[in-house]
Amino acid sequence: MKDFKKSCVYQIYPKSFYDKSGDGIGDLAGITEKLDYLKDLGIDYLWITPFFVSPQNDNGYDVADYRSIDPTYGTMEDFETLASEAKKRNIGIMLDMVFNHTSTEHEWFQKAMAGDPYYKDFYIFKKGKNGQPPTNWVSKFGGNAWQYVEKFDEYYLHLFDKTQADLNWENENVRKELVDILKFWMSKGVSGFRFDVINLISKPAVFEDDFSGDGRRFYTDGPRIHEFLKEMAQNSGLNSNGMITVGEMSSTTMEHCIRYSNPDEKELSMCFNFHHLKVDYKNQQKWELQDCDFMKLKSIFNTWQTGMQAGNGWNAVFWCNHDQPRIISRFGDDKNYPRESATMLATMIHLMRGTPYIYQGEEIGMTNAYFTDINQYRDVESLNYYQILKEEGKSEDEIYKILQERSRDNSRTPMQWNACEHAGFSTGTPWLSVNPNYQTINTEACLADPNSILYYYKKLVALRKEYDIIAYGDYVPVLEDNTSVFAYKRVYQNEKLLVLANFYGKETTVQLDGIFEDGYECLLTNYTKRALENEMTLQPYEAVVFYKSN
Ligand code: GLC
């Protein structure tokens, strides 16, 4: 069994990873085909986003059958081949369990709609109030979070799309069904799970309007959340079977994340939270742009790193996933300093306390899509917000500017394997346009260049294996008031590590008196190796790491 603290996870969005069948949509056989590439990168686990039967309104996060593979991704046999080939390479597979909601095409929902009371209680149906929905809560994808069903004269709750109906976790039979699904996949040899928006599953006893927000305060980290997670882990044997588990925590608090991930609580191995990815949201609103607030970013990281450590909790550390824009386009500079900014950002994350996650394409410096036509977008959230922003009176230009920065499709464009047609992703027409920069940004080009972003990631992944301090060391913030440099120390037994990262595209000088003593050597840098000195001028986006043992 692997130690998840010493591990690195690679996230695959199968639809966009590699298409073996040639229909323009990535598939499981495509992942198997690329296992050697992933092995070579050094990763330990693959988190694969949902490939179960689904109408694909939210690209698989709307599951219609948790035990079957959607034919667009292949067959159960393809999955079994993938799992056994991964195992040969000592790579574990983590599946993505969407347990807050099901697709409205799921058999349970269909039976509920047919009036079967047993299944109706699997969901959250409520009467409206004076011809209005039961509450004024807002769906995460825009609009009210309740959908009216005429034949019952009731509404069902959907925190996401109206085709994603929230499950009623108060119902013990729902919880039993979900545990059975976990057991089913564990018997197929998976090594772990990522739980989708798992901190939203416990809804309040009373449903009331939110007059100061969108409703999230009533159901985020809800009243029975810890009880539910403990029960799920216990009844499915997640911990006794050595599963690695990560919960996606939406708008959570540190206090809860400590409880979710402290081993004594027996809930999950670790949490994702997103506070550090809201520092460029104006007024906390995803669809309002602002530059990255670097001091806020620093303070969030420092607070969470030291706080989780004090509570013996554990976080996933990451910049990218299938819901986030590409980090190099977001906090880096994909035009003038692609290599420097990508490697600087990678250094910051990988050497923090937590398990690092790499999202497909991040390791080769893939950028935002910069689509210029709404017809290029596929994501339900982007399409909804295109309309909403229009209704708010924004001009087309403004809307495209926002989508080019915020759309989830930015990270979903096909993986760029080589400079051939469709970036070598597929022989068919890709379901989402390939980024035209595939001619220069692709894995083949990276593999041929010893100085590439890819090899730098490989080094970071390898360092975690070699140096215990990266996995187990304490985190100590350094240069907290510096407005350009992100810096921290790690301390473990007789070892020390110092990380300096210039977050900006211009030189900056830092004073390090009192921060270090003799004996440090340069372990890693995205420029050229250098000595640690009291005063150092860092190059644009320079990252430099020093290490000392005794
Ligand atoms: C999570 C997923 C996202 C999905 C949503 C609803 O946030 O990462 O892609 O749309 O949950 O399942």
Side-chain angles (χ1 to χ4, degrees), residues 13 47 58 61-62 96 98 101 141 160 164 194 196-197 248 274 321-323 379-380 408 412:
Y13 199 67
W47 151 29
D58 188 18
Y61 282 93
D62 44 335
D96 202 328
V98 189
H101 45 264
F141 292 163
F160 294 86
Q164 294 167 299
R194 178 252 189 195
D196 190 60
V197 289
E248 185 201 23
F274 299 92
N321 69 26
H322 64 292
D323 296 328
D379 172 30
V380 54
R408 304 195 299 180
R412 297 177 179 183

Side-chain angles (χ1 to χ4, degrees), residues 71-328:
T72 46
Y73 296 118
T75 61
M76 189 55 89
E77 210 187 326
D78 291 335
F79 176 76
E80 283 159 0
T81 307
L82 167 61
S84 71
E85 287 299 314
K87 196 163 179 202
K88 279 187 205 159
R89 291 163 179 84
N90 199 19
I91 295 175
I93 305 270
M94 296 166 72
L95 297 191
D96 202 328
M97 291 290 133
V98 189
F99 283 174
N100 176 67
H101 45 264
T102 73
S103 162
T104 49
E105 288 189 15
H106 195 287
E107 192 189 351
W108 302 334
F109 193 81
Q110 293 293 313
K111 287 185 174 166
M113 289 297 274
D116 181 337
Y118 180 82
Y119 286 104
K120 215 172 151 217
D121 194 41
F122 270 41
Y123 296 90
I124 303 171
F125 281 90
K126 297 265 177 226
K127 289 278 174 218
K129 274 185 331 205
N130 316 319
Q132 295 294 316
T135 68
N136 64 355
W137 299 358
V138 183
S139 149
K140 309 259 180 200
F141 292 163
N144 185 272
W146 297 90
Q147 177 68 22
Y148 184 60
V149 180
E150 199 174 343
K151 74 183 217 195
F152 301 142
D153 188 26
E154 282 177 340
Y155 295 76
Y156 66 84
L157 178 68
H158 63 90
L159 294 181
F160 294 86
D161 187 53
K162 63 173 185 291
T163 62
Q164 294 167 299
D166 279 54
L167 281 165
N168 175 19
W169 275 71
E170 296 295 318
N171 182 340
E172 195 185 355
N173 295 319
V174 168
R175 308 203 299 272
K176 277 198 187 123
E177 289 278 1
L178 300 177
V179 162
D180 281 350
I181 293 165
L182 293 179
K183 286 186 179 161
F184 173 85
W185 286 108
M186 280 158 62
S187 75
K188 297 244 171 241
V190 306
S191 305
F193 299 99
R194 178 252 189 195
F195 292 102
D196 190 60
V197 289
I198 198 70
N199 68 328
L200 308 186
I201 57 175
S202 171
K203 310 298 194 279
V206 181
F207 286 73
E208 52 188 304
D209 280 331
D210 190 349
F211 295 111
S212 59
D214 60 8
R216 72 182 66 193
R217 66 197 170 102
F218 295 119
Y219 56 75
T220 303
D221 304 314
R224 295 179 70 190
I225 182 65
H226 295 285
E227 176 197 335
F228 289 159
L229 288 179
K230 285 184 173 66
E231 181 192 272
M232 181 174 78
Q234 171 79 34
N235 292 352
S236 57
L238 285 179
N239 297 323
S240 48
N241 285 300
M243 294 287 116
I244 174 176
T245 53
V246 55
E248 185 201 23
M249 305 302 175
S250 165
S251 302
T252 189
T253 65
M254 190 154 64
E255 186 200 352
H256 281 289
C257 283
I258 289 171
R259 290 177 67 189
Y260 294 136
S261 61
N262 181 312
D264 298 339
E265 300 284 335
K266 299 193 170 48
E267 294 185 12
L268 299 169
S269 318
M270 68 187 96
C271 304
F272 282 115
N273 77 74
F274 299 92
H275 299 284
H276 65 293
L277 295 174
K278 295 184 179 171
V279 296
D280 54 359
Y281 289 8
K282 192 168 165 190
N283 309 319
Q284 295 282 322
Q285 299 300 315
K286 172 168 177 171
W287 303 98
E288 291 183 33
L289 303 181
Q290 109 179 345
D291 285 345
C292 168
D293 182 341
F294 177 60
M295 295 315 276
K296 195 162 161 193
L297 180 74
K298 273 181 108 163
S299 120
I300 289 171
F301 272 139
N302 288 337
T303 309
W304 276 79
Q305 285 280 306
T306 51
M308 289 295 276
Q309 173 172 300
N312 196 24
W314 195 255
N315 260 340
V317 283
F318 70 104
W319 288 123
C320 300
N321 69 26
H322 64 292
D323 296 328
Q324 299 291 332
R326 293 284 180 182
I327 200 61
I328 182 178

